[in-house]
Amino acid sequence: MDFQDDVYVSARIGAGIVMKSSLISKLDANGTGIWAKEMITTTNFSVDVMGMDLDLQGNPYVSGSFYGDISVDTLGASGSFNEAFVIKYSPAGRGEWIVVRTGGGSEHAHDIFIGSSVDKMYVSGRVTEGMSITGNQDYWISAYDIPAVPSSSSKKWNLQFSMFPNPTQDFLHIQALEVIDELSVFDGQGKKVLGKEVSNSAASVDLRQFPTGIYLVLVKSGGKQSVRRVYKE
């Protein structure tokens, strides 16, 4: 919702498991459509919208993933597998730019947050390549300078790590591309129940002493941090 109480919604379009496009729509406070834009792929796979945020000028930013290719207005991008993307729209619904995070595996952009100063964009997601931990996905969070089109040169930092097994009955293992400085575990009420200094790229946390439930694990590395949900069985 923006400052005029306009609402932004997204939906997948297709049949069965083939969702060949996604739709982002802007509605006024009465539910009347203002504009709608479709994100299309020519493959028999999907375009998935996972996150959305607005800057102070009312520009929507959409994050997600696509397989093969994606097009919006005159914008387009392609990849060899599942690729993570971010699209910036104008308040009128015009596609301003699209950026893609490509890699050797399956990339998905989940959450996106635009800083209040409108010069930083934070995107988080998951990827199956990066640390070669068989059967596990890595998590990542990256920060970019905007409003210029984000690129490798505008990326301020990136934090990528694996956390497994999840769910777990006893030990939780964390492995990062960089040195982990500190790990903290919080219970469902937000109370810190465990904390440890690490100074290594790999660490383990013993959860056997804690009851079954949902916990949040905070990973800190070089001034960067990310939180992930863990299920203790």
Side-chain angles (χ1 to χ4, degrees), residues 7-223:
V7 178
Y8 296 82
V9 296
S10 65
R12 299 175 72 189
I13 303 173
I17 63 171
V18 180
M19 298 291 183
K20 292 177 66 68
S21 64
S22 284
L23 186 74
I24 176 175
S25 302
K26 180 178 181 179
L27 313 175
D28 65 20
N30 298 315
T32 303
I34 299 175
W35 55 258
K37 283 297 179 73
E38 194 173 4
M39 289 159 275
I40 303 172
T41 177
T42 61
T43 67
N44 288 324
F45 294 91
S46 61
V47 176
D48 296 311
V49 173
M50 306 296 291
M52 189 186 308
D53 200 9
L54 301 172
D55 63 23
L56 296 179
Q57 283 72 49
N59 298 295
Y61 296 74
V62 175
S63 60
S65 65
F66 70 91
Y67 190 104
D69 57 52
I70 185 174
S71 62
V72 176
D73 293 335
T74 59
L75 306 175
S78 62
S80 58
F81 200 47
N82 284 316
E83 312 292 0
F85 72 84
V86 174
I87 299 174
K88 178 185 178 181
Y89 293 88
S90 71
R94 181 182 66 253
E96 298 287 323
W97 48 252
I98 179 171
V99 293
V100 175
R101 174 186 163 117
T102 60
S106 180
E107 298 264 5
H108 301 265
H110 287 183
D111 301 313
I112 183 168
F113 173 75
I114 307 302
S116 58
S117 60
V118 203
D119 62 354
K120 292 290 187 297
M121 178 178 73
Y122 303 88
V123 188
S124 66
R126 56 188 171 89
V127 58
T128 57
E129 56 84 21
M131 289 186 291
S132 300
I133 301 176
T134 304
N136 294 280
Q137 298 188 91
D138 298 348
Y139 302 101
W140 56 266
I141 179 170
S142 300
Y144 297 86
D145 284 334
I146 54 173
V149 180
S151 65
S152 57
S153 61
S154 66
K155 182 186 291 187
K156 304 303 294 181
W157 52 261
N158 181 73
L159 174 59
Q160 185 171 325
F161 60 94
S162 283
M163 189 176 290
F164 61 97
N166 188 11
T168 182
Q169 296 180 345
D170 39 48
F171 288 92
L172 179 71
H173 306 288
I174 300 96
Q175 184 171 343
L177 291 180
E178 301 177 11
V179 172
I180 301 170
D181 299 320
E182 183 182 347
L183 292 174
S184 300
V185 180
F186 300 84
D187 63 18
Q189 285 70 50
K191 178 183 177 181
K192 185 176 179 179
V193 295
L194 188 151
K196 62 183 296 185
E197 296 183 356
V198 180
S199 299
N200 201 311
S201 61
S204 296
V205 177
D206 186 357
L207 300 180
R208 290 177 296 180
Q209 59 184 307
F210 302 121
T212 299
I214 299 175
Y215 295 85
L216 297 177
V217 178
L218 173 65
V219 179
K220 292 185 177 181
S221 172

